Amino acid sequence: MTESAPPAHSPAPDGRPDTSRPREGEPPPPSALLRRARAAVFLLFFINAIAYANIVPRLPEIRDSIGLSNTALGTAIAAMPVGALVAGLFAGAMGARIGSGRLAALCAFGFAAAVPLVSFASVWAMLACCLFLLGVLDAIMDAAMNTHGLRVQRGYGRSILSSFHGLWSVGAVVGGLLSTTLAGADVPLRWHLLGIGALLAVLGVAVWPLLLPGRDEDEAPTSAEARQTETAPATPESSPAATAARAGLKAALLPLLLLGLLLAMSSVVEDTPASWGSALLQDDYGASAWLAGFAYVAFQTAMTIARFTGDRVVDRYGRVPVARVGGLLIAVPLSLALLTHSTPAVIAAFACAGLGAATLFPSAMHAAATIPGIRSSDGVAVVSWLARVGFLAAPPLVGLIGDRISLRVGVAMIVVAGLLILALAKVFAPADRSMSEESR
């Protein structure tokens, strides 16, 4: 008689549970290739965040050195999402042709060259052109690194996307703290940004060999029927399969638009502390340049903490309830803080907004990638593109209101965005159902 195999997780000789084999129904442990690819995506998100975060706390300095009004600075900042909107139209196709990982790494090298250019801007047009270029790179890299991250997540067989966005927040905090510290120490902007450019180039070199090889998967990961449809041989336009494909695209349009609108509101929440938090505290609250930088740092620090716990929170409570609570955390504390004359209260309110916004982008990317009838890379690219509308509209509108009324009133746009997020949270429900289907 042959000896039966021991059950999974049977005691090891030292009495501890043997965790070398997964329990029934659990995904197998990730391979070394997947672990390296996960590290690569972490680095890509970090690079993307640290690049612009080093510019953010020095925007009031740039404004004053060029002699711009708040409205002029806002329109210059809006050039960044304009570039993103233009480039975002091609991000999905570029990723499919080049490969999402390689494309994101190439954008890292682009940032290494583009970030130092901001320090050479001496007039509005030069600043706007530099920020336009940063927006182009950001849109392409955003879609590419999220697509590669989703590919790694499929290999892991569990949710890990929020942790990538968590490291993006780490990069934003590190970049914001570094820039705030250097500004407080009167380090020249040009030397500061040249050093950041060199760092980005080194990190880009480190990413390249860690990426997943081969082409990106085109299939949606949550539906066997969708996989069969997308891997089927090409058929004539008049065939039933082609008709079904067109119907799938039409059915996907409304979820994509709603996800895009929700992310546009999330973009308003994320952009306003970056573009205007420091200026608000200096102009309306009399804070020093060093203290004012903590409006952005507090927001990103809170978002970082929430994103690293976001996967577990979302898996336990669901994307819709978490998004609704997030909308309240965004709207209520800031609406109260703006009625005060307290700098710490405003900084704390920005931190609450960071907690509330933390899971919105990862949840929307997951939802976009799991819509039947379209490739995951295309869904991510479309929703990312629509999200840029918020980044485009917020800076000039806040600046205009700041010049006409006050920056305090302009920043209150975050409150409106939080309430709209609360109302739109239901759009994440299809993603929740997809996760349930995957687990069965």
Side-chain angles (χ1 to χ4, degrees), residues 262-263 266 307 322-323 326 330 356-365 421 428:
L262 189 148
L263 278 192
S266 182
R307 278 182 167 170
V322 171
I330 291 165
T359 63
L360 297 177
F361 263 83
S363 292
M365 293 303 172
I421 289 167
F428 289 144

Side-chain angles (χ1 to χ4, degrees), residues 283-307:
D283 294 354
D284 283 36
Y285 288 80
S288 66
W290 177 80
L291 182 60
F294 280 92
Y296 176 69
V297 170
F299 177 88
Q300 290 296 345
T301 300
M303 179 176 280
T304 300
I305 295 169
R307 278 182 167 170

Side-chain angles (χ1 to χ4, degrees), residues 233-246:
T235 54
E237 287 291 322
S238 58
S239 68
T243 302
R246 288 194 296 271

Side-chain angles (χ1 to χ4, degrees), residues 52 141 197 279 324 377 397 411:
Y52 186 60
M141 188 175 185
R324 285 172 175 162
S377 59
L397 184 56
V411 169

Side-chain angles (χ1 to χ4, degrees), residues 122-185:
S122 58
V123 295
W124 178 91
M126 291 177 64
L127 178 62
C129 287
C130 290
L131 295 177
F132 180 90
L133 177 58
L134 290 175
V136 169
L137 292 167
D138 181 59
I140 297 172
M141 188 175 185
D142 184 41
M145 67 188 185
N146 273 288
T147 300
H148 206 70
L150 286 164
R151 185 179 169 191
V152 175
Q153 177 173 271
R154 289 195 290 271
Y156 267 72
R158 57 184 173 85
S159 178
I160 60 172
L161 191 63
S162 187
S163 64
F164 295 141
H165 287 260
L167 205 74
W168 188 96
S169 296
V170 169
V173 171
V174 170
L177 282 172
L178 177 61
S179 184
T180 298
T181 301
L182 294 179

Side-chain angles (χ1 to χ4, degrees), residues 99-275:
S100 59
R102 291 189 293 273
L103 181 60
L106 289 173
C107 288
F109 294 117
F111 271 119
V115 167
L117 291 178
V118 175
S119 65
F120 291 88
S122 58
V123 295
W124 178 91
M126 291 177 64
L127 178 62
C129 287
C130 290
L131 295 177
F132 180 90
L133 177 58
L134 290 175
V136 169
L137 292 167
D138 181 59
I140 297 172
M141 188 175 185
D142 184 41
M145 67 188 185
N146 273 288
T147 300
H148 206 70
L150 286 164
R151 185 179 169 191
V152 175
Q153 177 173 271
R154 289 195 290 271
Y156 267 72
R158 57 184 173 85
S159 178
I160 60 172
L161 191 63
S162 187
S163 64
F164 295 141
H165 287 260
L167 205 74
W168 188 96
S169 296
V170 169
V173 171
V174 170
L177 282 172
L178 177 61
S179 184
T180 298
T181 301
L182 294 179
D186 294 324
V187 173
L189 178 67
R190 185 163 300 173
W191 288 111
H192 168 198
L193 296 188
L194 284 170
I196 295 302
L199 173 63
L200 295 175
V202 170
L203 293 175
V205 171
V207 162
W208 197 272
L210 304 176
L211 298 166
L212 286 176
R215 299 177 62 85
D216 297 327
E217 297 178 6
D218 288 338
E219 77 275 6
T222 58
S223 169
E225 294 179 0
R227 285 196 293 270
Q228 292 169 1
T229 299
E230 293 185 5
T231 57
T235 54
E237 287 291 322
S238 58
S239 68
T243 302
R246 288 194 296 271
L249 288 173
K250 184 177 179 181
L253 182 60
L254 181 58
L256 286 173
L257 289 175
L258 290 175
L259 286 168
L261 178 58
L262 189 148
L263 278 192
M265 295 301 101
S266 182
S267 300
V268 171
V269 177
E270 292 195 27
D271 177 83
T272 304
S275 298

